[in-house]
Amino acid sequence: QVQLVESGGGSVPPGGSLRLSCVVSGDNLEYYAIGWFRQAPGGAREGVSCHSRGDGSIYYTSSVEGRSTISRDSAKNTAYLLIDVLRPADSGIYYCAASKWVPNAQRMCEDVSPDHWGKGTQVTVSW
């Protein structure tokens, strides 16, 4: 059974940085596309960044493009999301997700229907 556990959230002032981690157990992360999704209070869950191993594609939603990096460490079976120059609009619960197959990274982020979800980590950007 695949399990995903996020960490690294917290309260950060605007302009700061955070690196979120997602430890995967139960299978090899190399077999999966990974994604990070965000849900703000009262809002829908939306894709922030996704990475497809199949075609190597990477997708960032426009609000974080240029200040965010998705990555993975195969040796640690862990995925990461780094966001720089944080804004209050970045606040929300961040969920890690994994899917065995996706058409490409953008579709994974847009479809918001991965095979597996983590339970999320809270990110709050405020003074």
Side-chain angles (χ1 to χ4, degrees):
Q1 182 179 357
V2 176
Q3 291 188 323
L4 292 76
V5 179
E6 304 93 335
S7 63
S11 185
V12 185
S17 298
L18 271 181
R19 189 179 77 158
L20 306 180
S21 300
C22 173
V23 177
V24 179
S25 60
D27 206 347
N28 191 331
L29 181 59
E30 288 299 295
Y31 301 148
Y32 291 83
I34 57 170
W36 288 92
F37 297 78
R38 174 179 64 213
Q39 189 164 18
R45 197 171 297 188
E46 59 178 358
V48 176
S49 181
C50 294
H51 175 216
S52 169
R53 292 294 285 178
D55 66 352
S57 59
I58 294 176
Y59 171 81
Y60 297 100
T61 192
S62 58
S63 65
V64 303
E65 193 162 18
R67 58 186 183 93
S68 183
T69 303
I70 189 172
S71 61
R72 63 174 82 199
D73 185 331
S74 300
K76 296 181 179 180
N77 226 36
T78 300
Y80 303 96
L81 179 69
L82 171 68
I83 307 179
D84 294 318
V85 197
L86 282 161
R87 307 165 180 168
D90 294 322
S91 298
I93 301 175
Y94 282 71
Y95 297 90
C96 177
S99 290
K100 259 300 182 61
W101 183 87
V102 297
N104 54 60
Q106 182 170 350
R107 281 285 303 278
M108 182 182 185
C109 270
E110 291 178 344
D111 290 350
V112 198
S113 59
D115 298 337
H116 308 282
W117 288 104
K119 293 185 177 181
T121 184
Q122 176 72 48
V123 172
T124 302
V125 184
S126 67
W127 290 108

